[in-house]
Amino acid sequence: MTLARNNDYRGYDTFDGLNARFLRPLTFESKALRTVLQQAVRRFPINLRPVLGISKGHSSKAMGFLTRGFMRLNKTTGDQLWANKAEVALEWLIENQLPGYSGACWGNHFDYQSRAFYLPKGVPTVVWTSLIGHAFLDAFVHFQRNRHLRVAVSACEHIVHDL
């Protein structure tokens, strides 16, 4: 936990290879070359990210998992420290919702190329949004704050209306 905290909860992601500032232009936005770059960064036995200009980033998915973990630690230990960390993570998630949609939603902090589709960073995903929506439901049960329930309901609104 200390390493995560010392890095302000920033880190690399398995699929963040398209954030390579120095090599991304050489993909010419070709699906095949984006796939090669993403997979090369992902699979190379040494972390090339610092050399390629890939910065550690905040992951909404990771913050959702951390939030749930902090609440479970608080429930198990009774230590207020974990409740405080959960509240900070929940606030970060509220502040880092993607704008322009009909409800609360979250996505990747990097572009992603799969065999089937290309997903630019900042586009919401149902997987991250539902994971984080569940974190807010957990927070409502744990802290009994209507604000958390409103965010969870808002995430549902996004899924129903925008997806």
Side-chain angles (χ1 to χ4, degrees):
M1 187 56 65
T2 302
L3 182 60
R5 188 178 56 246
N6 289 347
N7 282 290
D8 187 31
Y9 299 101
R10 293 176 189 266
Y12 297 119
D13 189 277
T14 304
F15 294 99
D16 64 3
L18 295 180
N19 280 354
R21 288 191 317 252
F22 306 126
L23 290 182
R24 177 68 185 266
L26 300 177
T27 68
F28 305 105
E29 294 310 311
S30 152
K31 175 184 174 182
L33 292 176
R34 283 194 306 248
T35 301
V36 167
L37 175 58
Q38 181 175 279
Q39 292 300 319
V41 171
R42 177 177 177 240
R43 296 173 187 271
F44 200 77
I46 300 169
N47 182 12
L48 296 175
R49 288 168 178 85
V51 175
L52 298 176
I54 300 172
S55 301
K56 293 178 180 180
H58 282 120
S59 166
S60 58
K61 174 179 69 170
M63 293 303 279
F65 282 127
L66 283 168
T67 299
R68 295 178 94 181
F70 292 152
M71 286 185 289
R72 287 180 181 149
L73 284 165
N74 175 243
K75 182 177 181 180
T76 301
T77 67
D79 188 339
Q80 185 61 35
L81 170 75
W82 299 116
N84 295 344
K85 287 181 179 290
E87 288 284 8
V88 168
L90 288 161
E91 191 60 35
W92 186 92
L93 288 165
I94 289 170
E95 291 171 1
N96 287 278
Q97 296 175 53
L98 294 172
Y101 295 92
S102 63
C105 56
W106 297 267
N108 291 322
H109 62 284
F110 52 86
D111 294 339
Y112 173 76
Q113 179 68 59
S114 78
R115 291 182 192 132
F117 62 90
Y118 172 71
L119 184 67
K121 66 181 167 187
V123 172
T125 71
V126 69
V127 175
W128 295 177
T129 299
S130 61
L131 164 88
I132 294 164
H134 278 104
F136 278 96
L137 280 176
D138 291 348
F140 172 68
V141 170
H142 189 78
F143 296 114
Q144 295 293 304
R145 294 196 182 110
N146 287 333
R147 176 181 192 211
H148 298 141
L149 183 59
R150 284 192 299 271
V151 175
V153 169
S154 179
C156 292
E157 293 294 323
H158 162 71
I159 291 169
V160 168
H161 296 292
D162 294 333
L163 302 177

